[in-house]
Amino acid sequence: MKKILISLLFLIILTACVSTRYSYYPVSSYGIKKVSISAGLANAEDENSPVEYIGVSDVRSNVNTPHKVKILSSTIKIIDSDNKEYIAKTNSNSGYIHIYKQGVIITDDFKAYIGKVQLDDGTIIDIPPLSFKKNVYVESYNPVTDTINAGARTKRLFNGTVEDYKKQKK
């Protein structure tokens, strides 16, 4: 009985997992409360993965009532951390600009000049140039204890810039 209890205890401890996800967000509040802007990586679990897309979404959107965003300019300008400029084509029917498919490989902080977007209610918003920094979201979870105690799932360990995370780990 004692061996079973010890084995069960080790199973619970050893099945704990840490999930780390990376993405990019604008450094400062861009003063626009109607849209949310972020950039996703090709592999969100790999810190060195390139940016796959830049997304502009309407904050009113949810599962039941989606709201569309149109990017009005046909191209956007992106400047990487080495000051190299890229021009990426946009898709006016989507709020996403798939830059990786266009050969734009960004793996560090960057600036994006998106320009004007239109919400589905007709509102036109001019987005100022944005500086993006890599962010990390780290959480710990344990499938065994999360199942047993449904009210105490996942524990957020860190949410912020990669620079701040590295400073905290020192």
Side-chain angles (χ1 to χ4, degrees):
M1 179 69 176
K2 195 175 192 180
K3 286 182 182 180
I4 293 173
L5 186 60
I6 291 172
S7 297
L8 185 59
L9 185 62
F10 275 119
L11 176 69
I12 291 171
I13 293 169
L14 295 176
T15 58
C17 300
V18 174
S19 171
T20 306
R21 290 183 304 277
Y22 297 92
S23 57
Y24 284 86
Y25 291 100
V27 173
S28 64
S29 171
Y30 37 91
I32 303 166
K33 298 193 185 314
K34 293 186 175 197
V35 294
S36 175
I37 303 168
S38 62
L41 280 65
N43 178 359
E45 295 174 354
D46 179 5
E47 181 180 357
N48 299 314
S49 180
V51 175
E52 182 176 12
Y53 65 86
I54 298 171
V56 181
S57 58
D58 189 324
V59 296
R60 300 172 300 157
S61 284
N62 61 47
V63 175
N64 297 326
T65 54
H67 290 277
K68 295 198 178 247
V69 173
K70 261 187 177 178
I71 299 171
L72 297 178
S73 60
S74 60
T75 61
I76 67 162
K77 181 166 73 170
I78 300 167
I79 301 175
D80 69 11
S81 59
D82 296 327
N83 286 327
K84 184 174 179 185
E85 284 189 24
Y86 300 92
I87 301 296
K89 293 179 184 175
T90 65
N91 177 352
S92 64
N93 296 326
S94 169
Y96 292 91
I97 305 138
H98 296 276
I99 64 174
Y100 186 67
K101 288 180 182 177
Q102 297 181 48
V104 178
I105 299 175
I106 304 286
T107 57
D108 205 357
D109 299 343
F110 64 96
K111 278 189 176 180
Y113 298 82
I114 298 169
K116 292 183 180 181
V117 298
Q118 184 176 23
L119 306 182
D120 61 4
D121 67 1
T123 305
I124 295 177
I125 299 169
D126 191 8
I127 299 173
L130 301 172
S131 294
F132 286 80
K133 279 207 172 283
K134 191 178 294 182
N135 282 260
V136 61
Y137 180 79
V138 183
E139 65 183 358
S140 172
Y141 63 94
N142 185 317
V144 175
T145 58
D146 284 355
T147 302
I148 294 168
N149 187 5
R153 296 183 187 239
T154 64
K155 178 181 176 187
R156 184 174 78 179
L157 302 175
F158 185 84
N159 187 18
T161 66
V162 171
E163 291 170 354
D164 291 343
Y165 183 62
K166 289 179 180 177
K167 286 177 191 175
Q168 176 185 326
K169 285 180 74 174
K170 286 183 182 181

